[in-house]
Amino acid sequence: MTKTALVIGAGITGVCTAEWLRRAGVKVTLIDRIEPGDPAQTSYGNAGLLARVAIGPIADSSLLRKAPMMLLDPDSPLFLKWSYLPKLIPWIVPFIRNMTAKRIEEITAALLPLTEDSVDQHIALATGTSAAQYIRTGDYFYYYRDRAAFDKDRAHNDLLRRAGFTVIPHDRAQMLAIDPAISPAYSYAAAHPDHGWLTSPGKYVAALADHFRAAGGEFKRGEVVNVTNATVTLQGGEVLTADKIILAAGAWSGPLAKQLGQKSLLETERGYHLFLNGASYVPPHPFMVSDAKFVVTPMEGGLRCAGIVEFGGLTAPRSTAPIALLKKRIRQVYPDLTWDSADEWMGFRPSTPDSLPHIGALPDAPNVIVAFGSQHIGITIGPRLGRMAADIALGKRSNIDLTPYAPDRFR
């Protein structure tokens, strides 16, 4: 019986894991080198979208053909620090292998149970806490340049329909009735009902963590330098022990898991956001700008534009080009938009070659459960992934087949 647990990482997945375990009567210590909700966390800077329809893998069969030109196009949402390329190759090779039609179908089937009830999972976790005030529900849109662009995206929308999602086309007149400030450059859209978003992802994570602490959970600030099957060692030498250890440190999980024999093939996708404080116009719902591959989300105090993929590792400095691109693109969407000031942010998405998270006990350290690798959908699946990790720690059987997320699948 699990009586005590240590959770490494106080981002969305770690906080959710800790809270689910606490509610099950486990004495939990949550560990991170920074406070929950801190701007240095990836959970702080995401698009805030609870993306139920995010079931397509990053590895798309067309990407192999498009990627070289995208990397050379300054208006493309894909960036690479070229000095990092040699370190990226061990990840790229299996990434390409996952571009087959068969693998894409398998990965999509594995992502669906993680995302489809994500709004309900967030509401279940946040109800009764101050975090609930940051959840909004409604439609999520894809904006297209025209009907032809929508038709070109038929494979994606057909995939969503087969998975049970609703896709509602909107012409220009219908778009203007909902979003009257939209540029004439965008004349077609698709609405996806029953979605959600967060008006402040950082405050949301912090509020969940505050509830966890107020209800008896412990938060310990420190940097984890070593993990064994029974212990966690912090910088400075303090050693903590527990019945179960859950590793949910996002992009920083890989080196710690490697100490325990796991080959995680975890890579860092650097994501950027531009937050427009005091934006003169805020849309009533979040949307994806389909041709630019970034999400626009109405949030507390302004408008967040989030997206971009840059491969460059954990230590390279922030690039200026991605932020410049976001500024250019948001003006194409809302030509008359003004704002008081802009905040720029970069964070690290933990991504695997097959777009699936690692979830499960490590074969060589069965008391250590990993829960990381959520790529672009970390905030979306945080409560679901946390519940799954908690259930594994408690010895409960999952109603989801965990095989696709096995921690040893890259051995």
Side-chain angles (χ1 to χ4, degrees):
M1 182 177 177
T2 301
K3 295 182 178 180
T4 59
L6 302 172
V7 179
I8 304 169
I12 184 63
T13 302
V15 169
C16 292
T17 303
E19 176 59 10
W20 288 127
L21 284 168
R22 185 203 64 77
R23 292 183 187 185
V26 178
K27 183 179 180 182
V28 187
T29 299
L30 181 63
I31 308 164
D32 205 313
R33 58 186 175 82
I34 53 178
E35 291 287 326
D38 188 279
Q41 286 189 330
T42 302
S43 297
Y44 171 91
N46 56 79
L49 186 65
L50 309 184
R52 297 180 60 237
V53 294
I55 60 172
I58 302 167
D60 181 277
S61 56
S62 66
L63 184 60
L64 189 60
R65 182 182 71 256
K66 296 177 182 177
M69 293 304 297
M70 291 176 70
L71 289 170
L72 297 174
D73 182 357
D75 286 341
S76 162
L78 179 62
F79 293 83
L80 169 67
K81 287 191 175 292
W82 291 98
S83 61
Y84 190 72
L85 182 57
K87 295 181 180 179
L88 189 60
I89 289 173
W91 185 88
I92 289 178
V93 172
F95 179 78
I96 292 172
R97 290 182 186 139
N98 281 291
M99 291 182 177
T100 66
K102 181 175 182 293
R103 282 299 294 144
I104 289 173
E105 182 178 346
E106 292 170 348
I107 293 166
T108 298
L111 285 170
L112 180 60
L114 302 182
T115 69
E116 62 181 340
D117 66 344
S118 53
V119 177
D120 293 338
Q121 290 288 330
H122 276 271
I123 291 172
L125 188 69
T127 296
T129 80
S130 61
Q133 66 185 299
Y134 301 109
I135 299 177
R136 299 289 184 272
T137 58
D139 292 349
Y140 169 49
F141 279 74
Y142 269 60
Y143 282 6
Y144 296 94
R145 290 280 182 171
D146 49 34
R147 174 62 187 264
F150 170 76
D151 290 342
K152 192 174 180 180
D153 205 20
R154 180 178 287 110
H156 173 251
N157 288 315
D158 285 349
L159 179 148
L160 297 182
R161 291 187 179 101
R162 288 196 302 272
F165 294 107
T166 302
V167 181
I168 306 174
H170 283 58
D171 61 22
R172 173 75 181 166
Q174 291 170 311
M175 291 177 71
L176 286 173
I178 299 169
D179 190 353
I182 191 71
S183 164
Y186 292 89
S187 62
Y188 214 80
H192 305 288
D194 304 320
H195 273 66
W197 65 96
L198 304 176
T199 59
S200 178
K203 289 182 180 180
Y204 177 75
V205 173
L208 288 174
D210 287 345
H211 177 81
F212 164 77
R213 283 185 272 200
E218 180 185 0
F219 174 72
K220 179 175 283 289
R221 189 164 178 175
E223 184 164 358
V224 176
V225 295
N226 184 259
V227 182
T228 72
N229 191 43
T231 64
V232 170
T233 303
L234 304 183
Q235 192 172 58
E238 184 178 2
V239 178
L240 308 174
T241 62
D243 297 329
K244 298 292 181 181
I245 298 167
I246 296 88
L247 177 55
W252 289 268
S253 300
L256 294 173
K258 187 177 181 180
Q259 295 176 3
L260 298 165
Q262 190 205 19
K263 184 179 180 181
S264 65
L265 289 185
L266 194 67
E267 188 48 68
T268 300
E269 286 189 62
R270 294 147 61 97
Y272 287 78
H273 89 220
L274 176 71
F275 193 89
L276 306 178
N277 296 289
S280 60
Y281 174 79
V282 176
H285 54 72
F287 60 89
M288 166 73 78
V289 184
S290 62
D291 60 319
K293 304 301 184 199
F294 77 96
V295 174
V296 178
T297 309
M299 288 194 179
E300 181 182 284
L303 196 62
R304 180 170 292 184
C305 309
I308 309 293
V309 171
E310 182 185 50
F311 290 103
L314 285 167
T315 60
R318 181 190 305 177
S319 300
T320 58
I323 292 294
L325 180 58
L326 286 172
K327 289 180 180 178
K328 176 181 177 178
R329 290 296 200 175
I330 191 60
R331 290 197 180 279
Q332 292 175 350
V333 177
Y334 294 126
D336 299 325
L337 186 68
T338 61
W339 53 86
D340 298 332
S341 62
D343 298 330
E344 302 172 359
W345 178 91
M346 182 194 76
F348 306 98
R349 305 183 189 103
S351 296
T352 62
D354 60 6
S355 304
L356 298 174
H358 290 286
I359 177 72
L362 292 176
D364 296 335
N367 289 326
V368 178
I369 296 150
V370 295
F372 61 81
S374 300
Q375 38 107 347
H376 297 231
I377 55 174
I379 202 75
T380 296
I381 67 173
R384 163 58 73 185
L385 209 61
R387 188 190 288 268
M388 292 166 69
D391 284 348
I392 293 169
L394 295 167
K396 294 183 179 180
R397 288 180 61 87
S398 175
N399 58 359
I400 297 174
D401 179 11
L402 300 180
T403 305
Y405 326 110
D408 60 348
R409 65 185 186 274
F410 295 125
R411 278 189 173 180

